[in-house]
Amino acid sequence: TQLLEQSPQFLSIQEGENLTVYCNSSSVFSSLQWYRQEPGEGPVLLVTVVTGGEVKKLKRLTFQFGDARKDSSLHITAAQPGDTGLYLCAGATGGTSYGKLTFGQGTILTVHP
Amino acid sequence: GAGVSQSPSNKVTEKGKDVELRCDPISGHTALYWYRQSLGQGLEFLIYFQGNSAPDKSGLPSDRFSAERTGGSVSTLTIQRTQQEDSAVYLCASSLAGQGVYEQYFGPGTRLTVT
């Protein structure tokens, strides 16, 4: 069973601060995705990382996939109240279960104005 | 364009009753997934349909849970003899199939409350 451990589980910060969310596993993933979810809605895909060591930037968000493809991080620079939400990482293993994603338990981010 | 839709958005049922939850995937998406999410938590995989292949049912928590996908499009998740621990948000997602990464697009979910 593949498990993804996300940390921290809760994060409460002031507007303008930086933060990092971590996603770790003992398993290797063929790709890893980050989602953001707001109350009453389904998760929305932010980014997919595929190559070990890959770094992707989306405005103030920076995503990194570990060299061994077992871990990932999400860094937000100068957080804003609009960044508030549940952030989820999800790993795909490929093979016969190609489409099946394993989700982390999520990080609830609250950015105070 | 239309995204993934789910119905009903909310369902309150009495313990022991059966419920059916519906998912309409994005047109042309051949892969469809069901997940369960408890309050503020991550997603628990339930079942995965991919084209005409046999579904991956490995995440269904008990034989009270079943799902079908008719005509490769609409899917129904059925929970028989509901229990209070079945209360959760049930999310459906769909994706394109083929080589490469499966990027999933989620519906808004059905909030199920078993009283």
Side-chain angles (χ1 to χ4, degrees):
Chain A
T1 303
Q2 290 90 15
L3 290 175
L4 271 172
E5 298 289 334
Q6 243 182 280
S7 63
Q9 188 175 357
F10 300 95
L11 200 50
S12 180
I13 63 172
Q14 293 297 125
E15 182 176 3
E17 293 183 6
N18 302 332
L19 66 109
T20 302
V21 177
Y22 299 93
C23 185
N24 296 291
S25 176
S26 58
S27 301
V28 175
F29 292 98
S30 57
S31 66
L32 196 136
Q33 299 174 356
W34 284 91
Y35 291 82
R36 178 168 168 264
Q37 184 179 21
E38 297 195 45
E41 299 180 9
V44 175
L45 181 67
L46 296 174
V47 78
T48 301
V49 286
V50 179
T51 306
E54 182 176 2
V55 176
K56 281 193 174 179
K57 292 191 175 184
L58 185 66
K59 296 183 180 179
R60 292 176 295 100
L61 279 61
T62 302
F63 305 85
Q64 186 163 7
F65 202 13
D67 291 340
R69 290 185 288 128
K70 293 182 179 182
D71 56 88
S72 181
S73 63
L74 158 61
H75 183 78
I76 301 179
T77 303
Q80 299 177 1
D83 296 328
T84 293
L86 174 66
Y87 289 81
L88 296 157
C89 62
T93 53
T96 56
S97 58
Y98 216 156
K100 183 176 170 181
L101 291 177
T102 299
F103 279 83
Q105 66 268 49
T107 295
I108 298 175
L109 171 64
T110 304
V111 183
H112 302 280
Chain B
V4 177
S5 61
Q6 292 186 245
S7 61
S9 55
N10 282 283
K11 177 71 177 179
V12 179
T13 190
E14 292 180 352
K15 177 181 173 181
K17 301 279 188 177
D18 298 352
V19 295
E20 285 190 352
L21 312 180
R22 177 187 168 102
C23 172
D24 283 271
I26 293 173
S27 178
H29 281 192
T30 59
L32 186 147
Y33 317 78
W34 283 98
Y35 295 90
R36 180 168 69 175
Q37 184 176 32
S38 299
L39 185 63
Q41 296 295 307
L43 278 64
E44 175 189 5
F45 167 79
L46 296 178
I47 188 169
Y48 161 45
F49 296 91
Q50 170 52 43
N52 295 321
S53 302
D56 178 349
K57 303 180 181 180
S58 60
L60 294 178
S62 77
D63 58 8
R64 297 186 294 105
F65 288 73
S66 63
E68 62 177 22
R69 189 178 185 192
T70 54
S73 181
V74 172
S75 178
T76 302
L77 177 69
T78 301
I79 308 174
Q80 295 178 311
R81 304 181 303 282
T82 52
Q83 304 295 311
Q84 288 185 333
E85 61 263 29
D86 299 334
S87 296
V89 175
Y90 288 81
L91 291 159
C92 173
S94 70
S95 71
L96 289 168
Q99 295 300 316
V101 179
Y102 282 52
E103 301 186 0
Q104 299 185 15
Y105 297 84
F106 284 83
T110 294
R111 180 175 297 278
L112 175 66
T113 303
V114 182
T115 61

